[in-house]
Amino acid sequence: MNAYSLWVQYRDYYKTLGVERSASQHEIKKAFRKLSLKYHPDHNTDSGAEERFKEINEAYQVLGEPDARQRYDQLGAGFRAGQDFRPPPGWQGVDFNFRSGFGGQSGFQGGNTSVSGFSDFFESIFGGGGPRNQGFNAGYQNAYDHQGRPKGKRGEDHTIDLELNLADLLQGAIKTLNFRLPIHDPQGGRRVDVKRLEVKIPPETTVGSRIRLKGQGSPGIGGGAAGDILLNIQAKCPSNITLDDRDIIVRHYVGVLDAILGNEEYVETPRGRIKITIPASTSGGKRFRFKGKGFAPKKGRAGNMIVELMLHVPESISMEDRKTLEAMRERF
């Protein structure tokens, strides 16, 4: 049915929001936030709350949009809520972009199509149609929390391997690092963001642990929080040292005669020099364990320092030494 043939009831949107006609856009927005939170169906199950919420939303759809508000004000201030009203010629079929929620955009199409949730008065002025995202309720729930604050979309996290030497892991350090982060923008583009950050490495940081740099990842979208950088800790060890969880394994080379006859040796370890006593007739691969001398994080057990003996065989020997060794072989 053509809206021109209808008499509809006038709606005083200023009265609905409880503001004066002279109210600023900020005052209108503030009033809308307060009332929409009070009557939102998610928080108010009283009879009539949902209908009141729809009225508040409709009022803000108009008064919260300056162009639509100006058009509405042209009707004049002489009408009273509930009074019979017929839109003057030329008022139907005008296309506006109306708000969905507190600032998200949702287009209204001109025409006579009726959409549930909006009054005949609204449609008679603004040409009917409705939000493409199924109205304010969907937009509000998707974009805002229960206190009316924008949710937005959280930025992307980035996991980066960080290789550190043993001294930095055991003693702690402060490192100035450069990060190249791939950033995806809302339009589908891609760029590289270079960050220079000072990072604190706590003492006794173990391999495989992570350090979180909060808010240093990709920026959020639509007011969302920035993502994080997660540093995946790796170790750069000398060729004779390996790590096994919290244990530090040091391979120490000794001569064949020291292994046969026994000896005392000083071993250089990441914790400093350690003295070991090699018993006579010790085989290669023997391990000396120093309890609690490995990684000692605040939580959990401390690891061990393990010295593993490796036999060192000379690449060449003199003829005299060869004869001595052959004689020894005969006896053994």
Side-chain angles (χ1 to χ4, degrees):
M1 183 179 297
N2 194 307
Y4 290 131
S5 64
L6 295 176
W7 287 89
V8 296
Q9 289 187 335
Y10 178 82
R11 292 206 169 191
D12 188 338
Y13 291 138
Y14 290 100
K15 184 177 180 180
T16 300
L17 294 182
V19 297
E20 300 292 332
R21 283 185 169 266
S22 59
S24 66
Q25 292 300 128
H26 175 74
E27 290 171 329
I28 289 172
K29 185 175 183 179
K30 183 178 179 181
F32 168 66
R33 285 179 180 270
K34 181 179 179 180
L35 291 171
S36 63
L37 292 174
K38 180 179 179 180
Y39 292 101
H40 195 289
D42 286 352
H43 317 298
N44 191 332
T45 58
D46 293 345
S47 176
E50 183 174 358
E51 187 62 31
R52 180 78 172 108
F53 177 78
K54 290 179 181 179
E55 293 173 357
I56 294 163
N57 171 49
E58 181 176 315
Y60 185 65
Q61 295 281 1
V62 177
L63 301 185
E65 173 59 52
D67 290 341
R69 180 185 180 184
Q70 182 180 16
R71 182 172 176 81
Y72 172 75
D73 287 345
Q74 289 174 4
L75 296 173
F79 293 98
R80 295 191 304 272
Q83 186 179 29
D84 284 345
F85 169 82
R86 181 176 180 177
W91 277 73
Q92 191 181 24
V94 178
D95 196 15
F96 282 92
N97 278 333
F98 285 98
R99 301 171 185 270
S100 177
F102 303 141
Q105 295 297 316
S106 186
F108 274 67
Q109 302 298 316
N112 296 322
T113 304
S114 176
V115 174
S116 175
F118 291 88
S119 68
D120 292 337
F121 173 77
F122 179 94
E123 294 177 3
S124 70
I125 298 175
F126 298 105
R132 294 174 185 156
N133 67 349
Q134 299 180 348
F136 166 79
N137 192 37
Y140 180 91
Q141 289 178 330
N142 291 336
Y144 295 86
D145 63 20
H146 69 280
Q147 294 183 349
R149 295 175 302 212
K151 288 182 183 177
K153 183 179 179 182
R154 187 177 183 276
E156 184 181 2
D157 291 341
H158 298 278
T159 300
I160 300 173
D161 289 340
L162 177 60
E163 191 176 63
L164 299 168
N165 61 44
L166 281 176
D168 290 338
L169 293 176
L170 291 169
Q171 300 167 20
I174 296 177
K175 296 288 186 181
T176 300
L177 305 173
N178 293 320
F179 300 97
R180 295 175 61 85
L181 304 180
I183 304 296
H184 301 274
D185 62 40
Q187 287 73 39
R190 183 183 176 92
R191 59 185 173 84
V192 175
D193 187 17
V194 179
K195 287 180 174 285
R196 185 178 178 87
L197 300 174
E198 197 171 76
V199 179
K200 182 178 180 180
I201 311 299
E204 309 296 337
T205 297
T206 55
V207 171
S209 61
R210 286 187 170 185
I211 297 175
R212 182 180 295 271
L213 306 179
K214 192 171 181 61
Q216 297 298 331
S218 296
I221 298 172
D228 302 334
I229 293 177
L230 301 173
L231 300 180
N232 187 33
I233 302 301
Q234 304 294 319
K236 183 177 182 180
C237 298
S239 59
N240 68 318
I241 295 178
T242 57
L243 303 180
D244 182 9
D245 192 16
R246 299 179 182 185
D247 293 342
I248 302 173
I249 303 171
V250 181
R251 291 182 295 277
H252 179 68
Y253 288 85
V254 298
V256 174
L257 293 180
D258 289 329
I260 294 173
L261 302 175
N263 199 4
E264 289 185 346
E265 298 266 344
Y266 285 94
V267 181
E268 297 293 338
T269 77
R271 296 288 193 192
R273 299 180 75 192
I274 293 178
K275 183 179 180 180
I276 61 172
T277 300
I278 304 172
S281 302
T282 296
S283 301
K286 179 177 175 61
R287 289 187 166 191
F288 299 83
R289 188 180 304 271
F290 298 87
K291 190 173 181 179
K293 296 296 185 181
F295 283 92
K298 291 182 179 179
K299 295 182 179 180
R301 70 168 184 86
N304 303 316
M305 183 74 68
I306 298 171
V307 177
E308 183 178 11
L309 291 188
M310 309 293 291
L311 296 183
H312 173 68
V313 179
E315 294 181 1
S316 62
I317 57 175
S318 65
M319 289 298 298
E320 183 177 353
D321 289 339
R322 176 178 288 275
K323 290 178 181 180
T324 301
L325 291 173
E326 286 177 350
M328 290 177 60
R329 183 170 62 182
E330 291 293 329
R331 291 196 298 271
F332 293 100

